[in-house]
Structure formats: structure tokens, C-alpha cells
Amino acid sequence: MKEDKNQMLNNNEIYYFDHASTTPLRKEVKTVMEEFYSNKFANPASSHFLGEKSERAVENAREEIALLLGANKAEEIIFTSGGTEADNLIIKGIAMAYAEQGKHIITSSIEHPAVIESCKYLEKHLGFKLSYLEVDQEGFVNPKDLKKSIRDDTILITIMTANNEIGTVQAIKELAEIAGENNIFFHSDAVQAVPQMQVDVEELGVDALSVSAHKFNGPKGVGALYLKSGIKLIPQQSGGSQERKRRAGSLNVTGIAGMAAASKLLREELVTKVKKIKALRDYFIKRVFSEIDNITLNGPEGENRLANNANLTFEGLAGEAILYNLSLKKIAVSTGSACASGSISTSHVLKAISADEKSAKSAVRFTFGLANDKSQIDYLIDNLKDTVRHLRSLK
Ligand code: PLP
């Protein structure tokens, strides 16, 4: 197997444009993790010398994540098994802790399922009332709508920093300010935002924020929740007193050390990384629009879009058909739809921004990353042109 220039993927014949789903582990991160798998295996809760070593590694990692997110104190970071758990923990944990003050929660209609399903759980099982804010055609929540939907019994607002499908970056600072003025707890799912832009919890004014390591070349199955100190939370797992009694369970030390290594690299390289990826994304969009007819860009143009995201609708074609054809050429992309029980379901995000369901099923998401280069984009475009031409000729 050949090694790629970025030492990221082990095979040059793979054309990976699905970085919003996950990213390859960086070699530097893998090296750190191997040391933990082999030698630093002790449980950080153990009092002996080896346990202390692991505990020190976890606390160093906590400081590293705090630094990445601009948190004032390391103890404001709670390690979780990923973005999904961080979202579940904060939404259910806050709802349960503050239910006596009210049972109304506000979110948006384009959140990740980890947020939407947590909200639905509270609706179904614990009698909470939900308001799902509509978004405009580019996926933006209107701060005026947020103001209007606040009630006396609203205890939580949860709105994602950036959308995983169409890349829309919300005006989180403004939205969090509205929450603050009304004394309402504000959480943001920043799983997609953190890898692509500077996210500073103090600057944004959020009370809580979710992040996941595998979206920035770290390991899968580890993430973190930032929770401003002094805020109560009902833990969602019963067990030991790990993570200051906010998240029970033996810590995934190897994953946490890997996440810290990936965070450090991200923090140090964010500006150059984003510049590179944005240039590739813009090159892709420019070429695609000049060489393929009848396509539209889903989500916003310009600054308020994640640097790595291009989501396109190919008029008259099924996104899934494009995906499968490209996959035959070792090209990995994604659609907003998922094939469930033989029928194709439509993405709730595309439905929220599109006029009709048919065009939502014609969308393909391309998300770029560190291991991509211009020659790979050229290969992608050449094959995309062939695929679209071929599929359209069958009509
Ligand atoms: N939130 C967003 C916006 C995501 O894109 C994802 C993953 O795709 C998650 C949450 C879930 O994160 P994890 O895969 O770490 O559970």
C-alpha cells in the first residue's frame, strides 16, 4: 500500500470526500494512542502509581480541550463517548435538573438527531413542550423568531453552531445573548463547527457546547461537553463518581489522550487547515458550476458556511444513484437521505430549506479534509461529470 502525502490515509487510490461523517486518524494521534494502549493502560481512578499516571494524562487532556474551546477552567470539560452522548447528557440533564422552573425547550428544525431525538424523548416521556424554530432557505435561524418563541417556562435553548449537512453557521453569539437576557440556559452542538472554525465558549457566551474527536482527525467514540461552572446537571448514567459525578463510567483514557493530541494539532493548525480546505472547496464549486448544468448549492454562499462543505442538488437525479456510481470509482461522498427498509427517506434538513421533497432527494454532500489535494478534486469532478451525464442520458 502506498502512503499519501499527508500521512493520513494508507491508500492513495481512495478519494474521500465525506469528512463531515468522520475523518481519518492522524498518524501523530495514532502514535500517542498506541503508547496508551500498550503501556499507560491503568484506570485513572486507581490510587497506585500507574493510576496516577493515567489520571495525569486525563487532566492534561482536559486542559488541552479547555484551551481549544476557550473555556476558563479545565473542570468545565466533561469527557463523553462522543457528540451524541454530550448532546443527550446536556439536554436531558438540564431538563431534569430545572424541570421545576419550567418544561419548555426551544431548538431548531435542522439539528442533528442526537439533539432532536433527545428533545423528543423529553416530550414523550417527561411531558416537556418543544418549539422547533423554522429556518430560512439557507438554513439560518432568525433571532427574532427565537425571541418570539420564548415563554415564561422556557428553561433551555439548544441550537447547533454549524449544520452537518448544508454547513450553515448560525449567529450563535446573538442567539446566546437573547437566551442570557431572558435567563435561559443556552447549549450549542459544535461538533461540525469546531474542526472548521475558531469556537470560543466565552466569546460566544454559551453555557454548554458539544464536541466530538473523530470530526477532527481524532479517534471515534470520544468527545466532550463544555459546561460552564456552577450549572447543575442530572447525570444520565448511574454508576461511579467519575467526571465530578457528572458522567459515570471508567474513562476511555486512550481515546481521551488521542482527542487531546488531535485538539492540539487542530488548535495549532486551524488557520492553515481552513485556508487549504476552503480553497479546495471553492475550486470544486467553481469548476462544478461551470461544467455541470442544472445544479444548485444548498445552504449559504460566503462566510457563514463551513469551509469544508459543498452540498449540491442535481436536478432530476437521485442523490443515492450519484453516490453509488461514484463509489464504484472509489469516491466516497454522502447524501442527505438514508435508505431505510427499501425506501429512501429524505433529510429533515433539506426538507426544512427546500420547497419540495423531490429536490431534497437529489442532493449530494461533499466534505473536504486534510488528506485531499487538487488532483483528487480533479478526479472527483471528472467522474462526477461522467456520472451525471450517464444518469441523465437514461432519462
Ligand atoms: N452533532 C452533529 C452536528 C454531528 O454532525 C454529529 C455526527 O455526525 C453528532 C452530533 C454526533 O457525534 P458522534 O458521532 O461523536 O456521536
Side-chain angles (χ1 to χ4, degrees), residues 20-22 80-87 110-115 160-165 189-193 210-215 219-224 365:
S21 292
T22 196
T80 66
S81 63
T84 299
E85 190 194 334
D87 288 343
I110 61 165
E111 297 295 312
H112 188 272
V115 167
M160 70 202 319
T161 313
N163 184 265
N164 45 305
E165 293 189 36
D189 174 337
V191 167
Q192 293 291 339
S210 308
V211 59
S212 177
H214 73 101
K215 308 292 184 180
K220 291 168 193 53
V222 59
R365 181 186 72 181

Side-chain angles (χ1 to χ4, degrees), residues 9-198:
L9 300 171
N10 285 325
N11 189 337
N12 268 345
E13 308 312 319
I14 289 172
Y15 299 85
Y16 188 75
F17 306 106
D18 195 18
H19 290 84
S21 292
T22 196
T23 54
L25 196 72
R26 277 181 73 150
K27 289 279 156 66
E28 302 94 319
V29 175
K30 190 168 159 236
T31 305
V32 169
M33 291 178 74
E34 273 164 359
E35 172 66 9
F36 277 83
Y37 275 127
S38 315
N39 300 319
K40 300 183 180 169
F41 58 88
N43 192 326
S46 299
S47 311
H48 49 65
F49 69 104
L50 281 177
E52 276 173 16
K53 259 192 189 173
S54 291
E55 193 193 1
R56 214 167 310 127
V58 169
E59 293 317 314
N60 288 343
R62 206 183 299 284
E63 275 174 22
E64 187 54 55
I65 311 303
L67 208 55
L68 176 73
L69 301 179
N72 280 336
K73 300 178 200 152
E75 68 202 45
E76 294 176 318
I77 304 300
I78 305 170
F79 286 112
T80 66
S81 63
T84 299
E85 190 194 334
D87 288 343
N88 272 263
L89 175 58
I90 196 67
I91 293 169
K92 295 174 186 170
I94 288 292
M96 291 178 191
Y98 294 90
E100 276 178 16
Q101 291 178 24
K103 285 189 138 188
H104 180 240
I105 298 171
I106 302 170
T107 187
S108 85
S109 57
I110 61 165
E111 297 295 312
H112 188 272
V115 167
I116 295 202
E117 293 303 322
S118 294
C119 291
K120 288 201 171 142
Y121 175 93
L122 293 169
E123 262 182 315
K124 189 171 171 198
H125 299 291
L126 296 173
F128 279 80
K129 299 283 177 241
L130 261 294
S131 293
Y132 297 90
L133 299 177
E134 295 301 327
V135 294
D136 67 16
Q137 289 203 331
E138 292 183 325
F140 291 108
V141 168
N142 187 334
K144 284 189 194 138
D145 292 344
L146 175 61
K147 272 188 195 159
K148 273 190 260 162
S149 66
I150 290 174
R151 314 188 327 197
D152 288 345
D153 60 345
T154 308
I155 54 157
L156 167 65
I157 298 169
T158 171
I159 296 173
M160 70 202 319
T161 313
N163 184 265
N164 45 305
E165 293 189 36
I166 54 173
T168 310
V169 179
Q170 303 292 346
I172 291 299
K173 194 173 174 176
E174 195 178 343
L175 299 170
E177 215 168 86
I178 295 169
E181 283 161 6
N182 290 277
N183 252 329
I184 299 167
F185 187 91
F186 190 90
H187 163 252
S188 189
D189 174 337
V191 167
Q192 293 291 339
V194 165
Q196 308 299 328
M197 56 191 268
Q198 179 87 49

Side-chain angles (χ1 to χ4, degrees), residues 310-314 319 322-323 326 333-336 362-366:
N311 188 311
L312 300 173
T313 290
F314 295 81
I322 297 173
L323 182 150
L326 291 178
V333 297
S334 169
T335 64
S362 301
V364 180
R365 181 186 72 181
F366 306 85

Side-chain angles (χ1 to χ4, degrees), residues 20 163-168 192 196 277 281-282 284-285 297-300 305-312 365-368:
N163 184 265
N164 45 305
E165 293 189 36
I166 54 173
T168 310
Q192 293 291 339
Q196 308 299 328
I277 292 174
R281 192 274 315 271
D282 290 347
F284 169 76
I285 290 183
L297 181 71
N298 298 310
R305 179 184 197 108
L306 287 179
N308 71 338
N309 175 293
N311 188 311
L312 300 173
R365 181 186 72 181
F366 306 85
T367 44
F368 304 97

